[in-house]
Amino acid sequence: MIVEVQFATSRRGIPHPRRLHSWAESAYAIARTRASLPPTSRRSVAVRIVGAAEGRRLNRSWRGKNKPTNVLSFPAGEMPAGPDGSAPLGDIVICAPVIRREAREQGKVAEAHWAHMVVHGVLHLAGYDHEVERDARVMERMETWLLASLGFPDPYQPTDAAQR
């Protein structure tokens, strides 16, 4: 998988691009087999890290919500492979200030929350959704399993800090 990481905000507190790539690749490898996605020799994903202003603008444009959100996913659909032989899977936009705030408020280790957002975004690109309760349970189980395989705790279990 080709993962292009774009920084549209300060890199402070953001995991190294190699980590983001590793999490995206792991999530897609599992999602592809579970969702029976057609085999493609290579897929590409753009992960864009943004600040609050761009996060708000995108969330308002695409979801009608006038506030930044943690992660947005934009599936590429059925696009042909490019000159490098990779077919685009889509784009993921992660809002760094929202991730920092949520990790603090929820008492999570920041890196674990970043990993969760990358996994969550890739699963959306692979066709998973959480609009319907049944689909949400399937997606949450997949996220929890993937994150555990990467060494991270269940993101849906409350932490001591979040319970206070």
Side-chain angles (χ1 to χ4, degrees), residues 2-131:
I2 297 171
V3 179
E4 176 189 356
V5 179
Q6 304 170 352
F7 291 95
T9 190
S10 166
R11 290 182 171 203
R12 188 181 54 82
I14 298 171
H16 193 278
R18 280 192 302 265
R19 299 285 289 157
L20 300 170
H21 180 278
S22 172
W23 300 330
E25 191 171 62
S26 296
Y28 182 67
I30 299 302
R32 193 179 97 217
T33 58
R34 297 262 174 114
S36 301
L37 295 172
T40 302
S41 57
R42 292 186 347 178
R43 298 299 290 231
S44 62
V45 172
V47 177
R48 184 170 174 83
I49 313 300
V50 302
E54 185 173 345
R56 176 187 305 270
R57 200 169 36 256
L58 288 167
N59 203 25
R60 184 177 52 235
S61 295
W62 293 97
R63 297 178 64 227
K65 298 182 179 187
N66 192 24
K67 63 179 183 175
T69 189
N70 51 21
V71 63
L72 293 166
S73 299
F74 300 96
E78 297 299 318
M79 294 183 68
D84 65 356
S86 68
L89 186 60
D91 300 333
I92 300 168
V93 177
I94 302 175
C95 186
V98 173
I99 300 305
R100 280 191 288 273
R101 178 180 47 80
E102 288 178 345
R104 188 177 54 252
E105 290 173 356
Q106 297 169 18
K108 294 179 178 178
V109 173
E111 185 176 40
H113 198 40
W114 277 98
H116 181 207
M117 293 303 100
V118 171
V119 165
H120 187 88
V122 169
L123 290 180
H124 273 306
L125 296 181
Y128 287 84
D129 207 343
H130 49 78
E131 295 301 314

Side-chain angles (χ1 to χ4, degrees), residues 107-113 115-116 140 143-159:
K108 294 179 178 178
V109 173
E111 185 176 40
H113 198 40
H116 181 207
E140 287 175 12
E143 288 172 315
T144 301
W145 184 86
L146 273 162
L147 289 164
S149 75
L150 295 169
F152 295 108
D154 182 344
Y156 297 104
Q157 289 299 310
T159 63

